[in-house]
């Protein structure tokens, strides 16, 4: 354990940490010294992320949970409280998308899955974990939104609606919590090369990589404590 690392002694919860952007963020925060609590629905992929963190000398805990189920997040928060007694960073990263049809053809169950994961899931995580931060009079919540929360997305209207909603939620919660010394940032990436993103017609070499987003999260949590960056838009340098 390296006590000189900037996040030494801090605890970070990352949702959707089994693969893609969430796995990268977890590895990055662990490398900065945070103890990372990995959440997601699939134990095996969470274990893979945990293994890579342990191999690099980081500290990690796996708590499988589905962000659409409030009591699973409440259970995760209770475990974080009983194991660590604190929470410093919450990264709401878990998300799903569908980019195949116009809204009038989208099935109601797909609408529910997208909105329940990307928007309700963030509300549930905030509801479950924020009391721990308030108790410590400190914390940083980072919501992973998207440029789809800033732009129209034809054939991805439900996803766009969930991310536009997430941006509004983030700006509002930032105002609610700043008096409690809790910072709220929202990160809006363009296309990142992961399972979620439609790759058709795009050059993967030019797409953003998960580590690019993890780098932004590292910059946010290392920001001087008396200030916070409320929103970051991140684009690939060359259009993919
Ligand atoms: P991936 O599909 O690679 O990863 C999504 C992660 O979310 C998985 O670990 C998945 O794990 C988890 N997840 C999905 N549903 C749930 C749930 N109900 N409860 C808990 N965990 C869940 O996608 P990305 O890494 O690309 O996406 C991460 C975030 O980044 C998302 O919010 C996405 O909207 C956002 N984003 C992605 C962009 C891109 O181009 N890829 C661009 C902009 C934003 P499991 O299935 O095991 O639960």
């Amino acid at each position: 354990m390296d006590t000189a690392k900037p996040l030494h002694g801090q605890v970070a919860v990352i949702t959707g940490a089994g693969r893609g952007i969430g796995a990268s963020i977890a590895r990055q925060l662990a490398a900065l010294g945070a103890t990372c609590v990995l959440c997601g629905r699939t134990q095996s992929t969470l274990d893979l992320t945990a293994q890579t963190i342990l191999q690099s000398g980081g500290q990690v805990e796996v708590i499988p949970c589905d962000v659409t189920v409030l009591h699973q997040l409440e259970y995760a928060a209770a475990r974080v409280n009983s194991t660590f007694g604190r929470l410093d960073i919450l990264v709401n990263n878990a998300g799903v998308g569908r980019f195949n049809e116009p809204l009038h053809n989208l099935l109601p169950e797909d609408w529910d899955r997208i909105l329940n994961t990307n928007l309700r899931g963030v509300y549930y995580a905030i509801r479950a974990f924020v009391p721990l931060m308030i108790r410590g009079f400190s914390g940083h919540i980072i919501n992973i939104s998207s440029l789809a929360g800033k732009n129209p997305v034809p054939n991805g209207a439900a996803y766009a609606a969930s991310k536009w909603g997430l941006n509004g939620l983030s700006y509002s919660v930032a105002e609610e919590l700043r008096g409690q010394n809790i910072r709220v940032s929202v990160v809006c990436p363009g296309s990142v090369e992961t399972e979620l993103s439609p790759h058709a017609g795009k050059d993967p070499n030019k797409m953003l990589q998960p580590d690019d987003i993890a780098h932004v999260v590292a910059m946010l949590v290392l920001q001087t404590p008396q200030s916070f960056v409320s929103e970051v838009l991140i684009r690939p340098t060359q259009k993919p």
Side-chain angles (χ1 to χ4, degrees):
M1 191 189 317
D2 185 348
T3 54
K5 290 188 175 174
L7 300 183
H8 170 74
Q10 295 199 21
V11 177
V13 166
I14 303 101
T15 68
R19 61 171 192 266
I21 295 170
S24 255
I25 292 171
R27 287 194 297 269
Q28 175 71 262
L29 294 178
L32 292 170
T35 297
C36 287
V37 178
L38 313 182
C39 296
R41 293 170 301 179
T42 313
Q43 171 101 42
S44 57
T45 57
L46 295 172
D47 285 344
L48 282 177
T49 305
Q51 236 172 48
T52 58
I53 290 174
L54 288 170
Q55 279 160 4
S56 338
Q59 290 182 290
V60 68
E61 176 102 2
V62 168
I63 307 182
C65 73
D66 183 331
V67 298
T68 67
V69 184
L70 180 58
H71 72 80
Q72 293 190 16
L73 283 162
E74 288 171 339
Y75 168 78
R79 261 190 62 188
V80 169
N81 186 31
S82 60
T83 310
F84 305 108
R86 64 186 290 161
L87 179 61
D88 302 279
I89 298 165
L90 168 63
V91 184
N92 287 309
N93 163 80
V96 292
R98 190 173 163 88
F99 308 95
N100 298 342
E101 64 273 280
L103 188 67
H104 63 273
N105 288 339
L106 184 76
L107 294 173
E109 50 266 40
D110 285 324
W111 169 272
D112 287 345
R113 185 175 55 86
I114 293 165
L115 271 291
N116 285 347
T117 309
N118 299 1
L119 192 52
R120 184 185 288 260
V122 176
Y123 152 55
Y124 280 174
I126 286 173
R127 185 173 165 80
F129 285 109
V130 160
L132 254 172
M133 291 181 167
I134 290 178
R135 213 181 59 206
F137 195 66
S138 168
H140 199 151
I141 298 168
I142 297 171
N143 295 330
I144 307 300
S145 181
S146 171
L147 288 183
K150 295 278 173 186
N151 298 318
V153 184
N155 296 325
Y159 182 76
S162 73
K163 295 300 188 179
W164 279 75
L166 179 57
N167 289 349
L169 178 152
S170 304
Y171 312 142
S172 306
V173 175
E175 291 306 314
E176 291 170 0
L177 294 179
R178 62 196 296 190
Q180 324 260 16
N181 201 36
I182 297 167
R183 312 190 285 183
V184 180
S185 308
V186 62
V187 178
C188 300
S191 293
V192 185
E193 195 192 2
T194 68
E195 280 180 35
L196 180 143
S197 180
H199 288 36
K202 290 187 181 158
D203 177 351
N205 295 319
K206 293 184 182 162
M207 289 172 80
L208 290 166
Q209 296 300 311
D211 281 351
D212 298 327
I213 315 309
H215 178 72
V216 167
V217 170
M219 285 178 0
L220 291 173
V221 296
L222 296 177
Q223 181 76 17
T224 48
Q226 75 277 10
S227 66
F228 75 103
V229 176
S230 50
E231 181 172 49
V232 179
L233 312 188
I234 168 166
R235 305 168 198 278
T237 305
Q238 294 180 57
K239 271 196 171 228

